[in-house]
Amino acid sequence: MTSGSLAAAQTPTLRTVVIPFTQLKDKDADLSMKIEEGFGPDGLGIISISDVPGYTLLRQNLLNLAPILAKLPEKVKKDLEDPQSRYNFGWSHGKEKLESGKPDLLKGSFYANPLLDVPTTDALLLQRYPAYCGSNIWPQSALPELEVAFKALGKLILDVGLLVAYHCDKYVLDGIDMPSNEGIEQIVFRSRCHKGRLLYYFPAEKGNDVDDNDSMSSWCGWHTDHGSLTGLTYAMFTKDGVEVPCPDNTAGLYIKTRTGQIVKVVYKEDEIAYQIGNITEILSRGRLCATPHCVRAPKGEKATGLERSTFAFFMQPDWDEKLNFPELGHVNQELIQANELLTFGEYTEKLLDKYYHLKNVDTPATV
């Protein structure tokens, strides 16, 4: 067993806080204890919602298309690329980098806004915020069913996410004074720039046992989500076109807690997981907390030829949404002044300037 595999095997595994959909949709229900347990300062920054009507079928419909999309002819995929948006719309493969600095060839991504095909036609906005304001690019001839499946699952995850946001706002407003229209629910509801990301992890040829692939973050590097709330599906594993269980119980989502402990986090196949983003932590004055996380790839001979498909939905403020940054907080405080008023687009530009050297490199959908 390699050192990376040994460290993963010795890491504690924790279950997400689970809220049944029947409770979530009841706006009179008091879910503050569960919200605090999952999203509060001592939480993992993640909650899962169970028994969402229609979710299981919509998840299967979309994730089954990921391998088909990835195996389309290279010319077709090239036509789905959008360099102008830094590959934040359409197909992206090898445009991002692993933590080692090497191009990430392990996975391909397809990005789209599930709600609006054309968020704006304003040329100045398109030039300033191409990753948010660009238009969707669908494979209408090669894979027309992708658009339908992508939009259907994205809309469902957003609708459930708005209910999560509603209960988050109830919890936050119980402790701080904040106008109701500045809560997560209204910010997410108003936004025109949500982004869905369909991910396909190419099959490993030698069981993922060497180089970059031995680290805990071998499939997705350590990061904290940038926006308001992220919805996640349970990944689907396939081998030779047949769905199979993951052969390595050390593979999956890892989270770093507020105390610096690394834990593996699990939730069930029929649950939608939601993670807090940095913007929500800042605006909630730290009552809701975002946590760094990564994804570890399966290891060993049984992982050879294994494919993984999953979907993430990034709920984020509109580029024009004015955000009133509070005096207290620790997230990116070096970039903003106390009580500074910035739009989400302006805030993103500050992050890009800090982390990506004045936009001279390709960036993922979330900083």
Side-chain angles (χ1 to χ4, degrees):
M1 182 179 287
T2 65
S3 59
S5 296
L6 182 61
Q10 294 174 341
T11 300
T13 297
L14 300 179
R15 183 75 164 91
T16 55
V17 173
V18 183
I19 300 175
F21 182 73
T22 51
Q23 292 182 19
L24 186 75
K25 69 178 183 179
D26 180 2
K27 293 196 170 184
D28 293 325
D30 182 5
L31 301 180
S32 57
M33 290 183 63
K34 288 193 172 183
I35 295 294
E36 181 169 10
E37 184 183 356
F39 290 152
D42 297 323
L44 296 173
I46 186 169
I47 279 175
S48 60
I49 309 301
S50 64
D51 304 318
V52 177
Y55 168 68
T56 298
L57 181 59
L58 293 182
R59 169 184 169 272
Q60 290 175 341
N61 287 347
L62 181 59
L63 298 193
N64 279 325
L65 295 176
I68 301 173
L69 173 67
K71 294 168 188 174
L72 288 175
E74 291 302 319
K75 183 183 183 306
V76 174
K77 289 186 290 187
K78 187 73 175 175
D79 289 341
L80 296 174
E81 291 182 348
D82 184 20
Q84 179 65 29
S85 69
R86 297 184 217 103
Y87 302 94
N88 276 271
F89 284 93
W91 176 251
S92 173
H93 181 221
K95 308 303 180 184
E96 300 170 26
K97 290 181 172 60
L98 297 168
E99 291 175 337
S100 65
K102 298 177 183 177
D104 183 0
L105 300 175
L106 301 174
K107 61 180 177 284
S109 298
F110 184 85
Y111 296 99
N113 182 332
L115 303 179
L116 295 170
D117 281 320
V118 184
T120 182
T121 57
D122 187 312
L124 291 177
L125 287 173
L126 286 166
Q127 182 178 8
R128 184 173 183 181
Y129 305 128
Y132 296 146
C133 297
S135 298
N136 289 334
I137 308 171
W138 299 108
Q140 292 177 337
S141 297
L143 195 62
E145 57 266 47
L146 178 65
E147 179 179 356
V148 176
F150 197 106
K151 288 180 174 179
L153 182 59
K155 174 120 183 6
L156 179 67
I157 292 178
L158 174 64
D159 288 344
V160 177
L162 286 169
L163 291 172
V164 173
Y166 170 83
H167 288 284
C168 284
D169 286 341
K170 282 180 66 176
Y171 167 73
V172 170
L173 292 171
D174 189 47
I176 63 174
D177 185 23
M178 177 191 292
S180 60
N181 67 342
E182 293 183 11
I184 314 167
E185 182 191 19
Q186 288 302 310
I187 286 176
V188 169
F189 179 76
R190 288 193 293 263
S191 179
R192 293 166 288 174
C193 63
H194 301 308
K195 186 68 62 73
R197 182 183 187 183
L198 179 64
L199 294 112
Y200 172 76
Y201 294 76
F202 290 90
E205 296 180 2
K206 296 181 181 179
N208 283 326
D209 274 332
V210 295
D211 301 331
D212 296 293
N213 294 326
D214 188 42
S215 73
M216 191 168 286
S217 55
S218 49
W219 252 352
C220 182
W222 285 102
H223 67 285
T224 305
D225 289 350
H226 169 51
S228 300
L229 197 63
T230 303
L232 300 169
T233 66
Y234 187 90
M236 177 183 290
F237 292 90
T238 52
K239 200 167 189 176
D240 300 323
V242 178
E243 186 173 356
V244 296
C246 180
D248 180 1
N249 61 13
T250 69
L253 178 66
Y254 286 78
I255 285 176
K256 186 178 293 183
T257 70
R258 306 293 283 187
T259 61
Q261 181 187 22
I262 294 176
V263 299
K264 184 173 185 285
V265 177
V266 296
Y267 54 96
K268 292 185 177 180
E269 183 177 315
D270 61 351
E271 295 171 358
I272 309 174
Y274 289 89
Q275 288 185 285
I276 291 293
N278 275 337
I279 283 291
T280 291
E281 176 166 345
I282 293 170
L283 298 182
S284 70
R285 278 66 168 173
R287 296 208 79 202
L288 304 170
C289 294
T291 48
H293 49 278
C294 70
V295 180
R296 176 178 171 82
K299 305 292 183 289
E301 286 303 315
K302 290 184 178 179
T304 301
L306 190 71
E307 306 166 280
R308 178 180 187 262
S309 303
T310 192
F311 180 71
F313 185 74
F314 303 103
M315 288 159 267
Q316 50 204 9
D318 194 85
W319 59 83
D320 279 344
E321 181 76 46
K322 292 182 173 62
L323 305 172
N324 191 4
F325 290 89
E327 184 173 352
L328 299 175
H330 67 277
V331 179
N332 296 316
Q333 283 298 103
E334 73 278 9
L335 299 179
I336 51 181
Q337 299 177 9
N339 299 313
E340 185 174 6
L341 188 67
L342 292 172
T343 66
F344 180 64
E346 291 167 343
Y347 173 69
T348 301
E349 286 179 324
K350 284 177 176 279
L351 287 183
L352 289 171
D353 289 349
K354 175 185 177 183
Y355 292 111
Y356 295 97
H357 308 293
L358 301 176
K359 309 179 194 175
N360 285 332
V361 301
D362 300 326
T363 60
T366 56
V367 174

